[in-house]
Amino acid sequence: KQEVTQIPAALSVPEGENLVLNCSFTDSAIYNLQWFRQDPGKGLTSLLLIQSSQREQTSGRLNASLDKSSGRSTLYIAASQPGDSATYLCAVRTGAQKLVFGQGTRLTINP
Amino acid sequence: EAGVAQSPRYKIIEKRQSVAFWCNPISGHATLYWYQQILGQGPKLLIQFQNNGVVDDSQLPKDRFSAERLKGVDSTLKIQPAKLEDSAVYLCASSPPGLAGETQYFGPGTRLLVL
């Protein structure tokens, strides 16, 4: 059974810092890995999707890496801003479009 | 393009009562998902529809939860009778057919509180 773990559960940093969020998964047989953002009272928004054959994806100040063999992914946020405050979730696709989510990292960027 | 619509946004009921949630996916999206997200946890898939057929309902508590997708468009999720542990946010998502279905588009969710 696939299990996804995110560390830390919560993170608070001052504005402008670079930061890394971690995600690990137990079964390396995945189709892809996605990072989502969730704002309070709202649904999830997809940030980055990494196919199993890829090593990383970049979008603006966000960079996600994938090491499938070790079951790890990181989300790097450069030059953090207060607007980046949200919960970040990683999810792996195991087949038939089924996503297994981690519990999320609640990020607070302090002005 | 309109997003995934869900209603109601909030619901408070007492245990043993019944409740129903409604979801309208993005037009043309063949696949529809219902997730349960308990506070402090990631979403857990309850049921997945492909058009109006069920693809995966392995984590749906079938003794109290039921879902249907009429005509392959809108969907309803029902809980009868509700328990305290059903308090959660219920998220609906949809994805288009083909490779574009890699990404799921989520609605705002229905927040359920069972007292």
Side-chain angles (χ1 to χ4, degrees), chain A residues 1 31-32 34 36 38 40-46 49 51 89 93 95-104, chain B residues 9 31 33 35 37 40-43 45 48 55-56 58-59 91 95-96 98 101-104 106-108 111:
Chain A
K1 176 185 175 185
Y31 285 84
N32 59 46
Q34 277 188 275
F36 290 87
Q38 185 172 32
K42 298 187 178 180
L44 280 65
T45 302
S46 179
L49 185 152
Q51 299 292 353
L89 295 152
R93 180 184 165 205
Q97 300 184 26
K98 180 174 181 175
L99 292 179
V100 178
F101 284 85
Q103 74 273 35
Chain B
R9 293 296 309 277
T31 310
Y33 316 78
Y35 290 88
Q37 185 177 23
Q41 299 182 17
L45 179 69
Q48 175 183 339
V55 173
D56 185 345
S58 57
Q59 299 189 96
L91 296 164
S95 61
E102 295 284 6
T103 296
Q104 299 179 17
F106 284 80
R111 187 175 300 274

Side-chain angles (χ1 to χ4, degrees), chain A residues 12-106:
Chain A
S12 180
V13 301
E15 180 179 2
E17 281 200 3
N18 303 325
L19 57 99
V20 174
L21 306 181
N22 297 291
C23 172
S24 62
F25 46 96
T26 55
D27 187 346
S28 61
I30 64 170
Y31 285 84
N32 59 46
L33 182 144
Q34 277 188 275
W35 283 91
F36 290 87
R37 170 181 172 140
Q38 185 172 32
D39 292 283
K42 298 187 178 180
L44 280 65
T45 302
S46 179
L47 297 173
L48 291 164
L49 185 152
I50 311 175
Q51 299 292 353
S52 62
S53 59
Q54 297 175 324
R55 297 284 293 181
E56 65 177 342
Q57 281 285 341
T58 298
S59 176
R61 294 182 295 107
L62 306 180
N63 175 274
S65 68
L66 174 64
D67 184 342
K68 199 172 72 164
S69 61
S70 67
R72 295 182 181 182
S73 175
T74 61
L75 178 66
Y76 175 83
I77 302 177
S80 59
Q81 303 171 358
D84 295 330
S85 297
T87 295
Y88 291 80
L89 295 152
C90 79
V92 297
R93 180 184 165 205
T94 59
Q97 300 184 26
K98 180 174 181 175
L99 292 179
V100 178
F101 284 85
Q103 74 273 35
T105 293
R106 188 172 67 253

Side-chain angles (χ1 to χ4, degrees), chain B residues 64-78:
Chain B
R64 298 184 300 106
F65 286 64
S66 64
E68 61 181 4
R69 189 180 185 194
L70 300 176
K71 301 180 181 178
V73 181
D74 293 5
S75 177
T76 56
L77 177 69
K78 297 179 181 178

